[in-house]
Amino acid sequence: MMLALELLGGIGLFLLGMSMLTDGLKLAAGDGLRAILRGWTRTPARGLISGALLTGLVQSSSAVTVATIGFVNAGLLTLRHAVWVIFGANVGTTMTAWLVALIGLKLDIGAFALPIIGFGVMAQMLGGKRPRLAGFGQALAGFGLFFLGISVLKGGFETLLPWFESLDLAEAGFFAPFAFLLFGTALAALAQSSSAAIAIILTATAGGGLPLELAGAGIIGANIGTTSTAIFASAGATPAAKRVALAHIVFNFYSGIAAFLLLYPLINASHWLADLILADTQDEPLTLALFNTLLNVFGVILIWPFASRMIDWLQGRYKSEDETIGRPAHLDPTLAAVPALALRGLVLEIERMMNLAFERAAKRLGAEAGHTNGNGDAGILALGQSIRDFIADLSRQSLPSDVVNALPDLIRSIHHVEEAVTEGAAIHDGAQPPATLITGPAWDRLRDGVLATLVTSAGAPDAFKTEFDQEMDEVDQAYQAIKKDLLESTAAGHTSVEAMELALLRARRMRRLAEAALKAERRLCPWAPVASGRVENTPVAQT
């Protein structure tokens, strides 16, 4: 009973140390994780190296995987870049096994783990308002707890050594490796860390009671079991993030199954490398650390030729309305080589974005709260970002004057369309005033006026200016009438201040929606002839 509690305590110290080490290093690094993931993932090789280095730094493939899924979820990384970061994270996570094998099981780390914890806690406390120092202190304390847990586990497994030897596991046959594969999978899934599961396996092997083949099967299982973190992280995430999680699962299962089928050759190769590099094949934890690294590098080599096909397959999973909307229909990278065609594609794409946004806003004005959902809003906003990215790529080359003059108007038009999306969502999904306060002739007039602004027009710029002024004047008059009625009703005690403020806010948002819609159309209007193929005098960008 005491032995079981000792092992449980050792595992708890190890997991707590790993958590503190990871969180502390992320805090000490500041925005480094985000900067590296965004700036160093442009090619497969760089993504692979970035994932490996970051995982080695923060000592957690789970942390890098969750961060990568989060960045994909936020649109900061593409699937093609993120997949290689995930592959690299699997290689980088092998660093923990090397720390355990080279330090944790070699030195009497328990003798100075406590001072390390003490210095770390002091640094964390003294950090105060300096997050990097506090993060460094937390990481140092976690480092001490990490090795203190290893020391406790080592002592517990040394006590179990006679029991391991009595089992004669070396003669257990084929089912023993399969059982240890399942054991490693379950252990990593429960601990939410392959590093923790592998450290436990290495510690159990240190005394020589656990055959290398069974320990290797357990390590393969731990690599498979760590995919549970990606599954949990992708729950409720965007389709793009779910694809990243699926890439992580595919890679770990693919490499794990291949390694299990080649278990004995890989163990022999690890023995040979240990003898060649380390000149010590009797050091079983070191051999297993080599095996763990070989397993993940082997997986990358195996999947490299099929990575592009796998990414294309992943792109077809988890389709959503937002992604369909957010994918440009009129823009293609090849258009950038012909600025005139690029300008036409931009105008057509912004017209498409505008029509989608205005159609949603019109539906929301005529629907009761809760009768429409937000599906499509994210897609429209993503489409706006895709158009901006295309403009950024286009601007890197020398452009004719008409294109240069158009770009400021087009960018402002995108901005106003996004304002219309935001205001439409706020009107429909925000706090609702009493129904009796938002009915009547003035409200009908305001609603009709706003709906009129949501009908796109492609008239001549001069004619549109007149239309703009007339429609905005109609909306303003209705808004002022509503404001006057609400204030008078509140002053007379017929309406509470809270209800009046909610109704006035709704009217104000409707006015802002109309204004954003008209400004978006006004910015795009001078360039509408480009989309229809008519050649006119080049307009001057509006101020």
Side-chain angles (χ1 to χ4, degrees):
M1 181 64 181
M2 289 302 297
L3 179 59
L5 292 175
E6 182 181 354
L7 291 173
L8 185 62
I11 293 171
L13 286 171
F14 178 87
L15 291 175
L16 178 60
M18 282 288 294
S19 176
M20 290 180 64
L21 179 62
T22 298
D23 292 343
L25 287 172
K26 286 194 292 184
L27 186 61
D31 292 329
L33 182 63
R34 178 187 295 267
I36 293 175
L37 281 177
R38 291 197 66 184
W40 285 79
T41 58
R42 299 302 180 191
T43 65
R46 290 175 68 176
L48 184 72
I49 294 170
S50 299
L53 290 177
L54 283 173
T55 305
L57 172 67
V58 302
Q59 282 299 293
S60 173
S61 63
S62 296
V64 174
T65 298
V66 171
T68 303
I69 289 174
F71 292 158
V72 171
N73 208 28
L76 301 177
L77 279 180
T78 66
L79 174 66
R80 198 164 294 276
H81 295 147
V83 162
W84 289 98
V85 176
I86 296 295
F87 294 168
N90 281 276
V91 175
T93 195
T94 61
M95 180 62 69
T96 306
W98 286 98
L99 284 175
V100 173
L102 290 172
I103 301 175
L105 298 175
K106 293 286 187 185
L107 306 177
D108 185 13
I109 195 74
F112 54 91
L114 292 177
I116 291 175
I117 296 169
F119 284 124
V121 172
M122 286 176 61
Q124 186 179 10
M125 293 175 65
L126 294 173
K129 296 183 179 179
R130 291 178 288 178
R132 298 205 172 195
L133 178 59
F136 173 76
Q138 183 177 346
L140 189 62
F143 192 71
L145 285 171
F146 171 89
F147 286 113
L148 185 62
I150 293 294
S151 178
V152 173
L153 283 174
K154 182 181 177 184
F157 281 117
E158 284 176 352
T159 306
L160 281 176
L161 182 58
W163 179 75
F164 274 122
E165 291 175 343
S166 68
L167 294 178
D168 197 14
L169 293 172
E171 303 299 327
F174 170 78
F175 289 104
F178 186 72
F180 270 80
L181 176 76
L182 297 178
F183 169 73
T185 303
L187 192 59
L190 288 172
Q192 285 294 287
S193 169
S194 62
S195 298
I198 291 170
I200 293 169
I201 293 169
L202 261 64
T203 309
T205 311
L210 186 62
L212 284 180
E213 292 78 7
L214 301 187
I219 289 174
I220 295 171
N223 279 274
I224 293 174
T226 193
T227 59
S228 62
T229 303
I231 294 171
F232 294 143
S234 66
T238 64
K242 289 181 179 178
R243 293 186 196 110
V244 176
L246 183 57
H248 182 49
I249 294 167
V250 168
F251 173 78
N252 283 50
F253 271 87
Y254 179 66
S255 58
I257 292 171
F260 188 72
L261 293 175
L262 298 172
L263 176 61
Y264 290 93
L266 283 175
I267 290 292
N268 291 334
S270 301
H271 267 298
W272 178 77
L273 286 172
D275 190 41
L276 181 68
I277 300 171
L278 307 170
D280 188 0
T281 56
Q282 301 305 311
D283 193 331
E284 293 176 332
L286 274 175
T287 303
L288 286 175
L290 256 172
F291 173 81
N292 188 32
T293 302
L294 192 61
L295 156 66
N296 286 282
V297 172
F298 177 62
V300 173
I301 294 171
L302 278 180
I303 208 165
W304 197 298
F306 311 105
S308 293
R309 241 177 293 177
M310 185 189 78
I311 292 170
D312 291 339
W313 173 77
L314 289 170
Q315 294 281 16
R317 307 299 100 191
Y318 308 112
K319 290 288 186 180
S320 71
E321 179 187 355
D322 281 328
E323 283 193 317
T324 302
I325 292 173
R327 189 177 298 111
H330 303 286
L331 299 179
D332 186 275
T334 58
L335 289 180
V338 186
L341 293 179
L343 178 58
R344 182 176 185 275
L346 281 168
V347 174
L348 287 171
E349 201 64 63
I350 295 172
E351 284 183 348
R352 172 174 170 257
M353 178 184 178
M354 188 182 296
N355 288 329
L356 288 167
F358 290 2
E359 181 182 353
R360 287 191 59 75
K363 285 181 179 179
R364 280 172 159 158
L365 284 178
E368 296 180 14
H371 283 211
T372 64
N373 56 48
N375 292 340
D377 288 359
I380 295 171
L381 297 178
L383 180 59
Q385 186 57 51
S386 296
I387 300 172
R388 285 193 183 91
D389 292 342
F390 183 87
I391 292 174
D393 291 337
L394 183 66
S395 300
R396 293 191 178 98
Q397 60 181 297
S398 179
L399 299 173
S401 59
D402 58 335
V403 178
V404 172
N405 288 334
L407 293 184
D409 275 342
L410 300 185
I411 293 170
R412 293 295 299 276
S413 183
I414 295 167
H415 175 71
H416 292 311
V417 173
E418 290 170 340
E419 284 184 325
V421 172
T422 303
E423 293 299 338
I427 291 167
H428 183 265
D429 302 328
Q432 301 296 315
T436 54
L437 285 186
I438 55 175
T439 56
W443 281 98
D444 291 339
R445 185 181 175 189
L446 176 61
R447 188 176 294 105
D448 291 341
V450 175
L451 289 173
T453 66
L454 297 176
V455 178
T456 55
S457 170
D462 291 339
F464 183 78
K465 183 180 185 306
T466 302
E467 181 183 340
F468 177 100
D469 292 339
Q470 291 175 346
E471 291 184 354
M472 201 63 228
D473 186 56
E474 178 68 17
V475 170
D476 278 335
Q477 289 182 25
Y479 171 73
Q480 293 299 333
I482 289 171
K483 183 178 178 181
K484 179 175 178 292
D485 290 344
L486 287 172
L487 291 174
E488 288 178 353
S489 177
T490 304
H494 301 313
T495 304
S496 68
V497 174
E498 293 79 6
M500 180 272 292
E501 288 178 339
L502 283 176
L504 191 58
L505 178 60
R506 181 183 178 87
R508 191 179 301 123
R509 282 173 170 162
M510 291 174 70
R511 183 187 181 281
R512 287 200 294 254
L513 170 59
E515 187 177 26
L518 287 171
K519 285 182 176 179
E521 293 179 69
R522 184 183 66 182
R523 293 286 177 180
L524 189 63
C525 182
W527 310 102
V530 174
S532 62
R534 300 197 304 272
V535 179
E536 301 183 359
N537 292 333
T538 303
V540 177
Q542 300 184 44
T543 57

